PDB file of all heavy atoms in Angstrom:
ATOM      1  N   GLY A 206      -7.527  -1.344  -0.463  1.00 96.00           N
ATOM      2  CA  GLY A 206      -6.079  -1.524  -0.488  1.00 96.00           C
ATOM      3  C   GLY A 206      -5.543  -2.187   0.760  1.00 96.00           C
ATOM      4  O   GLY A 206      -6.287  -2.614   1.637  1.00 96.00           O
ATOM      5  N   THR A 207      -4.216  -2.266   0.815  1.00 96.00           N
ATOM      6  CA  THR A 207      -3.536  -2.862   1.961  1.00 96.00           C
ATOM      7  C   THR A 207      -2.477  -1.900   2.483  1.00 96.00           C
ATOM      8  O   THR A 207      -1.954  -1.072   1.741  1.00 96.00           O
ATOM      9  CB  THR A 207      -2.844  -4.184   1.577  1.00 96.00           C
ATOM     10  OG1 THR A 207      -1.873  -3.928   0.553  1.00 96.00           O
ATOM     11  CG2 THR A 207      -3.846  -5.215   1.094  1.00 96.00           C
ATOM     12  N   VAL A 208      -2.185  -2.036   3.764  1.00 95.00           N
ATOM     13  CA  VAL A 208      -1.127  -1.251   4.402  1.00 95.00           C
ATOM     14  C   VAL A 208      -0.194  -2.219   5.121  1.00 95.00           C
ATOM     15  O   VAL A 208      -0.657  -3.092   5.845  1.00 95.00           O
ATOM     16  CB  VAL A 208      -1.693  -0.251   5.435  1.00 95.00           C
ATOM     17  CG1 VAL A 208      -0.570   0.405   6.220  1.00 95.00           C
ATOM     18  CG2 VAL A 208      -2.541   0.792   4.784  1.00 95.00           C
ATOM     19  N   ASP A 209       1.093  -2.045   4.893  1.00 95.00           N
ATOM     20  CA  ASP A 209       2.100  -2.788   5.635  1.00 95.00           C
ATOM     21  C   ASP A 209       2.955  -1.774   6.371  1.00 95.00           C
ATOM     22  O   ASP A 209       3.460  -0.822   5.760  1.00 95.00           O
ATOM     23  CB  ASP A 209       2.979  -3.616   4.688  1.00 95.00           C
ATOM     24  CG  ASP A 209       2.208  -4.747   4.033  1.00 95.00           C
ATOM     25  OD1 ASP A 209       1.547  -5.502   4.766  1.00 95.00           O
ATOM     26  OD2 ASP A 209       2.265  -4.856   2.805  1.00 95.00           O
ATOM     27  N   ILE A 210       3.100  -1.972   7.673  1.00 93.00           N
ATOM     28  CA  ILE A 210       3.906  -1.079   8.494  1.00 93.00           C
ATOM     29  C   ILE A 210       5.003  -1.914   9.140  1.00 93.00           C
ATOM     30  O   ILE A 210       4.721  -2.929   9.771  1.00 93.00           O
ATOM     31  CB  ILE A 210       3.053  -0.383   9.571  1.00 93.00           C
ATOM     32  CG1 ILE A 210       1.930   0.418   8.907  1.00 93.00           C
ATOM     33  CG2 ILE A 210       3.926   0.508  10.454  1.00 93.00           C
ATOM     34  CD1 ILE A 210       0.898   0.969   9.878  1.00 93.00           C
ATOM     35  N   VAL A 211       6.232  -1.459   8.954  1.00 94.00           N
ATOM     36  CA  VAL A 211       7.369  -2.123   9.571  1.00 94.00           C
ATOM     37  C   VAL A 211       8.102  -1.080  10.399  1.00 94.00           C
ATOM     38  O   VAL A 211       8.520  -0.042   9.874  1.00 94.00           O
ATOM     39  CB  VAL A 211       8.319  -2.724   8.505  1.00 94.00           C
ATOM     40  CG1 VAL A 211       9.533  -3.359   9.173  1.00 94.00           C
ATOM     41  CG2 VAL A 211       7.589  -3.727   7.634  1.00 94.00           C
ATOM     42  N   SER A 212       8.224  -1.355  11.696  1.00 93.00           N
ATOM     43  CA  SER A 212       8.919  -0.435  12.574  1.00 93.00           C
ATOM     44  C   SER A 212       9.549  -1.212  13.712  1.00 93.00           C
ATOM     45  O   SER A 212       9.049  -2.255  14.127  1.00 93.00           O
ATOM     46  CB  SER A 212       7.944   0.603  13.141  1.00 93.00           C
ATOM     47  OG  SER A 212       8.657   1.604  13.840  1.00 93.00           O
ATOM     48  N   CYS A 213      10.645  -0.666  14.186  1.00 89.00           N
ATOM     49  CA  CYS A 213      11.344  -1.262  15.315  1.00 89.00           C
ATOM     50  C   CYS A 213      11.954  -0.105  16.108  1.00 89.00           C
ATOM     51  O   CYS A 213      12.457   0.852  15.511  1.00 89.00           O
ATOM     52  CB  CYS A 213      12.424  -2.205  14.803  1.00 89.00           C
ATOM     53  SG  CYS A 213      13.280  -3.098  16.107  1.00 89.00           S
ATOM     54  N   VAL A 214      11.879  -0.191  17.399  1.00 92.00           N
ATOM     55  CA  VAL A 214      12.409   0.877  18.232  1.00 92.00           C
ATOM     56  C   VAL A 214      13.872   1.132  17.857  1.00 92.00           C
ATOM     57  O   VAL A 214      14.678   0.211  17.796  1.00 92.00           O
ATOM     58  CB  VAL A 214      12.278   0.519  19.730  1.00 92.00           C
ATOM     59  CG1 VAL A 214      12.953   1.564  20.602  1.00 92.00           C
ATOM     60  CG2 VAL A 214      10.817   0.372  20.111  1.00 92.00           C
ATOM     61  N   GLY A 215      14.165   2.388  17.537  1.00 92.00           N
ATOM     62  CA  GLY A 215      15.517   2.795  17.177  1.00 92.00           C
ATOM     63  C   GLY A 215      15.864   2.653  15.700  1.00 92.00           C
ATOM     64  O   GLY A 215      16.960   3.014  15.297  1.00 92.00           O
ATOM     65  N   SER A 216      14.936   2.146  14.890  1.00 92.00           N
ATOM     66  CA  SER A 216      15.281   1.872  13.484  1.00 92.00           C
ATOM     67  C   SER A 216      14.384   2.545  12.463  1.00 92.00           C
ATOM     68  O   SER A 216      14.424   2.191  11.293  1.00 92.00           O
ATOM     69  CB  SER A 216      15.228   0.355  13.243  1.00 92.00           C
ATOM     70  OG  SER A 216      16.186  -0.292  14.016  1.00 92.00           O
ATOM     71  N   GLY A 217      13.563   3.472  12.857  1.00 94.00           N
ATOM     72  CA  GLY A 217      12.692   4.138  11.897  1.00 94.00           C
ATOM     73  C   GLY A 217      11.485   3.296  11.522  1.00 94.00           C
ATOM     74  O   GLY A 217      11.244   2.228  12.094  1.00 94.00           O
ATOM     75  N   THR A 218      10.741   3.788  10.538  1.00 96.00           N
ATOM     76  CA  THR A 218       9.474   3.156  10.152  1.00 96.00           C
ATOM     77  C   THR A 218       9.309   3.225   8.643  1.00 96.00           C
ATOM     78  O   THR A 218       9.691   4.209   8.015  1.00 96.00           O
ATOM     79  CB  THR A 218       8.293   3.892  10.828  1.00 96.00           C
ATOM     80  OG1 THR A 218       8.492   3.843  12.253  1.00 96.00           O
ATOM     81  CG2 THR A 218       6.958   3.261  10.478  1.00 96.00           C
ATOM     82  N   VAL A 219       8.709   2.169   8.087  1.00 97.00           N
ATOM     83  CA  VAL A 219       8.334   2.141   6.684  1.00 97.00           C
ATOM     84  C   VAL A 219       6.844   1.824   6.617  1.00 97.00           C
ATOM     85  O   VAL A 219       6.385   0.846   7.202  1.00 97.00           O
ATOM     86  CB  VAL A 219       9.116   1.074   5.888  1.00 97.00           C
ATOM     87  CG1 VAL A 219       8.642   1.039   4.440  1.00 97.00           C
ATOM     88  CG2 VAL A 219      10.609   1.330   5.959  1.00 97.00           C
ATOM     89  N   ILE A 220       6.094   2.674   5.927  1.00 96.00           N
ATOM     90  CA  ILE A 220       4.668   2.453   5.702  1.00 96.00           C
ATOM     91  C   ILE A 220       4.473   2.288   4.207  1.00 96.00           C
ATOM     92  O   ILE A 220       4.846   3.168   3.428  1.00 96.00           O
ATOM     93  CB  ILE A 220       3.821   3.630   6.222  1.00 96.00           C
ATOM     94  CG1 ILE A 220       4.029   3.801   7.720  1.00 96.00           C
ATOM     95  CG2 ILE A 220       2.340   3.420   5.878  1.00 96.00           C
ATOM     96  CD1 ILE A 220       3.377   5.037   8.288  1.00 96.00           C
ATOM     97  N   GLU A 221       3.903   1.158   3.820  1.00 97.00           N
ATOM     98  CA  GLU A 221       3.668   0.879   2.400  1.00 97.00           C
ATOM     99  C   GLU A 221       2.183   0.622   2.185  1.00 97.00           C
ATOM    100  O   GLU A 221       1.605  -0.291   2.753  1.00 97.00           O
ATOM    101  CB  GLU A 221       4.470  -0.332   1.957  1.00 97.00           C
ATOM    102  CG  GLU A 221       4.361  -0.616   0.489  1.00 97.00           C
ATOM    103  CD  GLU A 221       5.280  -1.729   0.040  1.00 97.00           C
ATOM    104  OE1 GLU A 221       6.466  -1.724   0.435  1.00 97.00           O
ATOM    105  OE2 GLU A 221       4.805  -2.600  -0.710  1.00 97.00           O
ATOM    106  N   THR A 222       1.576   1.461   1.368  1.00 97.00           N
ATOM    107  CA  THR A 222       0.156   1.358   1.034  1.00 97.00           C
ATOM    108  C   THR A 222       0.036   0.976  -0.437  1.00 97.00           C
ATOM    109  O   THR A 222       0.651   1.610  -1.286  1.00 97.00           O
ATOM    110  CB  THR A 222      -0.552   2.709   1.256  1.00 97.00           C
ATOM    111  OG1 THR A 222      -0.365   3.102   2.614  1.00 97.00           O
ATOM    112  CG2 THR A 222      -2.031   2.613   0.957  1.00 97.00           C
ATOM    113  N   THR A 223      -0.741  -0.057  -0.715  1.00 97.00           N
ATOM    114  CA  THR A 223      -0.957  -0.486  -2.093  1.00 97.00           C
ATOM    115  C   THR A 223      -2.448  -0.483  -2.383  1.00 97.00           C
ATOM    116  O   THR A 223      -3.239  -1.034  -1.616  1.00 97.00           O
ATOM    117  CB  THR A 223      -0.385  -1.898  -2.338  1.00 97.00           C
ATOM    118  OG1 THR A 223       1.003  -1.891  -1.993  1.00 97.00           O
ATOM    119  CG2 THR A 223      -0.548  -2.316  -3.796  1.00 97.00           C
ATOM    120  N   ILE A 224      -2.822   0.158  -3.484  1.00 96.00           N
ATOM    121  CA  ILE A 224      -4.227   0.255  -3.882  1.00 96.00           C
ATOM    122  C   ILE A 224      -4.351  -0.187  -5.330  1.00 96.00           C
ATOM    123  O   ILE A 224      -3.612   0.287  -6.196  1.00 96.00           O
ATOM    124  CB  ILE A 224      -4.744   1.700  -3.709  1.00 96.00           C
ATOM    125  CG1 ILE A 224      -4.655   2.092  -2.239  1.00 96.00           C
ATOM    126  CG2 ILE A 224      -6.176   1.827  -4.236  1.00 96.00           C
ATOM    127  CD1 ILE A 224      -4.923   3.531  -1.964  1.00 96.00           C
ATOM    128  N   ARG A 225      -5.279  -1.088  -5.568  1.00 93.00           N
ATOM    129  CA  ARG A 225      -5.532  -1.554  -6.934  1.00 93.00           C
ATOM    130  C   ARG A 225      -6.255  -0.455  -7.702  1.00 93.00           C
ATOM    131  O   ARG A 225      -7.115   0.228  -7.171  1.00 93.00           O
ATOM    132  CB  ARG A 225      -6.366  -2.828  -6.929  1.00 93.00           C
ATOM    133  CG  ARG A 225      -5.600  -4.008  -6.321  1.00 93.00           C
ATOM    134  CD  ARG A 225      -6.283  -5.329  -6.514  1.00 93.00           C
ATOM    135  NE  ARG A 225      -6.432  -5.767  -7.895  1.00 93.00           N
ATOM    136  CZ  ARG A 225      -5.446  -6.206  -8.688  1.00 93.00           C
ATOM    137  NH1 ARG A 225      -4.222  -6.219  -8.238  1.00 93.00           N
ATOM    138  NH2 ARG A 225      -5.697  -6.615  -9.912  1.00 93.00           N
ATOM    139  N   LEU A 226      -5.884  -0.310  -8.951  1.00 90.00           N
ATOM    140  CA  LEU A 226      -6.517   0.677  -9.814  1.00 90.00           C
ATOM    141  C   LEU A 226      -7.639   0.027 -10.620  1.00 90.00           C
ATOM    142  O   LEU A 226      -7.521  -1.138 -11.007  1.00 90.00           O
ATOM    143  CB  LEU A 226      -5.496   1.283 -10.781  1.00 90.00           C
ATOM    144  CG  LEU A 226      -4.349   2.047 -10.130  1.00 90.00           C
ATOM    145  CD1 LEU A 226      -3.338   2.444 -11.180  1.00 90.00           C
ATOM    146  CD2 LEU A 226      -4.869   3.264  -9.396  1.00 90.00           C
ATOM    147  N   ASP A 227      -8.674   0.786 -10.887  1.00 80.00           N
ATOM    148  CA  ASP A 227      -9.761   0.312 -11.735  1.00 80.00           C
ATOM    149  C   ASP A 227      -9.293   0.422 -13.181  1.00 80.00           C
ATOM    150  O   ASP A 227      -9.132   1.519 -13.707  1.00 80.00           O
ATOM    151  CB  ASP A 227     -11.016   1.147 -11.517  1.00 80.00           C
ATOM    152  CG  ASP A 227     -12.183   0.712 -12.380  1.00 80.00           C
ATOM    153  OD1 ASP A 227     -12.102  -0.372 -13.003  1.00 80.00           O
ATOM    154  OD2 ASP A 227     -13.177   1.454 -12.436  1.00 80.00           O
ATOM    155  N   THR A 228      -9.074  -0.719 -13.823  1.00 64.00           N
ATOM    156  CA  THR A 228      -8.571  -0.712 -15.187  1.00 64.00           C
ATOM    157  C   THR A 228      -9.693  -0.891 -16.201  1.00 64.00           C
ATOM    158  O   THR A 228      -9.456  -0.971 -17.402  1.00 64.00           O
ATOM    159  CB  THR A 228      -7.532  -1.835 -15.400  1.00 64.00           C
ATOM    160  OG1 THR A 228      -8.126  -3.094 -15.037  1.00 64.00           O
ATOM    161  CG2 THR A 228      -6.301  -1.595 -14.549  1.00 64.00           C
ATOM    162  N   ASN A 229     -10.944  -0.903 -15.747  1.00 64.00           N
ATOM    163  CA  ASN A 229     -12.089  -1.056 -16.642  1.00 64.00           C
ATOM    164  C   ASN A 229     -12.704   0.301 -16.942  1.00 64.00           C
ATOM    165  O   ASN A 229     -13.751   0.663 -16.427  1.00 64.00           O
ATOM    166  CB  ASN A 229     -13.153  -1.982 -16.021  1.00 64.00           C
ATOM    167  CG  ASN A 229     -12.620  -3.375 -15.808  1.00 64.00           C
ATOM    168  OD1 ASN A 229     -11.891  -3.881 -16.646  1.00 64.00           O
ATOM    169  ND2 ASN A 229     -12.979  -3.992 -14.697  1.00 64.00           N
ATOM    170  N   HIS A 230     -12.073   1.076 -17.776  1.00 52.00           N
ATOM    171  CA  HIS A 230     -12.576   2.415 -18.141  1.00 52.00           C
ATOM    172  C   HIS A 230     -13.320   2.321 -19.469  1.00 52.00           C
ATOM    173  O   HIS A 230     -12.824   2.689 -20.492  1.00 52.00           O
ATOM    174  CB  HIS A 230     -11.420   3.408 -18.264  1.00 52.00           C
ATOM    175  CG  HIS A 230     -10.670   3.597 -17.004  1.00 52.00           C
ATOM    176  ND1 HIS A 230     -11.176   4.273 -15.938  1.00 52.00           N
ATOM    177  CD2 HIS A 230      -9.442   3.165 -16.632  1.00 52.00           C
ATOM    178  CE1 HIS A 230     -10.283   4.272 -14.960  1.00 52.00           C
ATOM    179  NE2 HIS A 230      -9.225   3.605 -15.357  1.00 52.00           N
ATOM    180  N   GLU A 231     -14.524   1.826 -19.419  1.00 51.00           N
ATOM    181  CA  GLU A 231     -15.303   1.657 -20.660  1.00 51.00           C
ATOM    182  C   GLU A 231     -16.234   2.817 -20.868  1.00 51.00           C
ATOM    183  O   GLU A 231     -16.707   3.464 -20.048  1.00 51.00           O
ATOM    184  CB  GLU A 231     -16.101   0.364 -20.590  1.00 51.00           C
ATOM    185  CG  GLU A 231     -15.160  -0.843 -20.532  1.00 51.00           C
ATOM    186  CD  GLU A 231     -15.945  -2.140 -20.443  1.00 51.00           C
ATOM    187  OE1 GLU A 231     -17.162  -2.156 -20.754  1.00 51.00           O
ATOM    188  OE2 GLU A 231     -15.350  -3.123 -20.081  1.00 51.00           O
TER     189      GLU A 231
END
């Protein structure tokens, strides 16, 4: 997966993690 972190002093933080799902359930 990927992680995006956005933060700035005095403005809080956003952490976004995205993970691909295995869609091949055979």
Side-chain angles (χ1 to χ4, degrees):
T207 60
V208 172
D209 292 309
I210 301 171
V211 177
S212 188
C213 184
V214 174
S216 297
T218 302
V219 177
I220 299 173
E221 184 174 314
T222 302
T223 304
I224 298 171
R225 293 190 64 72
L226 298 173
D227 179 11
T228 56
N229 297 321
H230 298 288
E231 296 179 18

